[in-house]
Amino acid sequence: MVAHRGILFLDEAPEFPPRVLDSLRQPVESGQVTVSRANGSVTFPARFTLVLAANPCPCGLSGEAGRFCTCTPSVRRRYLSRLSGPLLDRVDVKVRLSPPTRAELLADRALTESSATVAERVVEARERAAARLTGTPWRLNAEVPSSLLHGGWRLDHRVLAPLHRAVDVGTLSARGVDRVLRVAWTIADISRRPRPSADEISLALTMWMGEEL
Ligand SMILES: [Zn+2]
C-alpha cells in the first residue's frame, strides 16, 4: 500500500462510490488490507492516517456568508449520508471549517504560529507517547490496543464520566469509546500531562462528535 505509514487524503469524499468508502473500514480498523482474487488473497500493511474532506452540500456554497446555496434539503441530506455511520465512527476528529473572514485574511501573520513550531510540539508529544510505550510493540497512541486502554492505562471513573454519559445517551458507540480514549491520551501528551483528565476526555469527545469547539 502506497499510503502505509503516510496519509490517505480523499477530497470531496461523498463523491466516491459507497463501496470504495466502505472498503476503507477494514484497513482503518486493522492496519492491514486484504485483497481477494479468485486464486487466493494477499494481505498488505496499511496503517495510514485517513483524511476525508467534504463540502456541506453538492454545490459547496451552503453556510458561506453572502453566497446562495441552491441545493434542496433532501439533496443535501443524501449527499452527506454517503459518508456512512460505520465509516464516521472510525474518524477520530471531525472539524467544521468556515471560509476565512476578511479580518482573518488581513491579520498580522507574525502573531500566528508557524508549521515548524507546531511540528516541534507534535514531535515532543510523540516522544512522550513512545517513552510511555517503551517495552511494547507500539509507538503511537493510535496503535494502543483496547486491552491496554482498559487495562494498564485505565483511567479513574470520575475522569471517564463524560464518556460514560455519552455511551448512556447513545451518542457514542463502543468502538468510539476506544477512539476517544486514544485521542485524549494524545491531547494529554501535547499538554505535557501524565494522563488525561476529564477535560481532555471531554475535548476528545467533542472532536469525535464533530461539534464546534
Ligand atoms: Zn448547495
Side-chain angles (χ1 to χ4, degrees):
M1 281 295 284
V2 178
H4 181 54
R5 299 249 170 232
I7 293 170
L8 180 62
F9 174 52
L10 302 189
D11 198 9
E12 310 242 8
E15 303 287 353
F16 285 81
R19 60 176 181 77
V20 171
L21 293 171
D22 287 337
S23 70
L24 291 168
R25 276 155 45 183
Q26 187 235 336
V28 164
E29 198 62 30
S30 65
Q32 296 183 323
V33 65
T34 302
V35 181
S36 299
R37 291 284 179 270
N39 51 0
S41 67
V42 191
T43 299
F44 299 99
R47 193 166 284 287
F48 52 85
T49 300
L50 176 65
V51 180
L52 305 170
N55 283 317
C57 65
C59 82
L61 297 178
S62 164
E64 287 203 34
R67 310 290 292 275
F68 190 69
C69 162
T70 52
C71 306
T72 63
S74 70
V75 165
R76 222 178 292 177
R77 241 191 337 268
R78 211 175 319 131
Y79 183 73
L80 286 176
S81 71
R82 289 191 205 165
L83 297 178
S84 71
L87 179 62
L88 291 181
D89 241 23
R90 293 164 167 88
V91 176
D92 296 347
V93 177
K94 304 165 186 90
V95 188
R96 194 168 304 174
L97 298 173
S98 35
T101 62
R102 195 181 57 199
E104 282 165 345
L105 287 172
L106 299 177
D108 185 351
R109 294 293 156 85
L111 299 175
T112 61
E113 277 188 316
S114 70
S115 296
T117 307
V118 177
E120 276 173 29
R121 211 155 52 222
V122 171
V123 167
E124 195 198 311
R126 284 185 161 220
E127 282 168 357
R128 290 179 76 91
R132 190 171 51 243
L133 287 162
T134 302
T136 75
W138 312 291
R139 285 289 162 272
L140 301 171
N141 294 326
E143 298 166 349
V144 172
S146 192
S147 55
L148 183 55
L149 288 173
H150 300 281
W153 287 18
R154 194 173 173 77
L155 300 167
D156 191 89
H157 71 274
R158 275 169 311 195
V159 172
L160 294 173
L163 272 195
H164 294 159
R165 270 197 301 277
V167 172
D168 288 346
V169 296
T171 49
L172 183 62
S173 63
R175 185 178 296 106
V177 169
D178 287 359
R179 305 202 77 99
V180 169
L181 283 172
R182 293 188 186 99
V183 172
W185 276 97
T186 296
I187 298 170
D189 286 333
I190 291 172
S191 319
R192 299 175 178 163
R193 289 171 181 270
R195 64 181 55 78
S197 69
D199 287 348
E200 281 80 37
I201 294 285
S202 295
L203 179 54
L205 183 60
T206 303
M207 294 198 294
W208 185 85
M209 295 200 299
E211 290 179 351
E212 303 278 337
L213 293 177

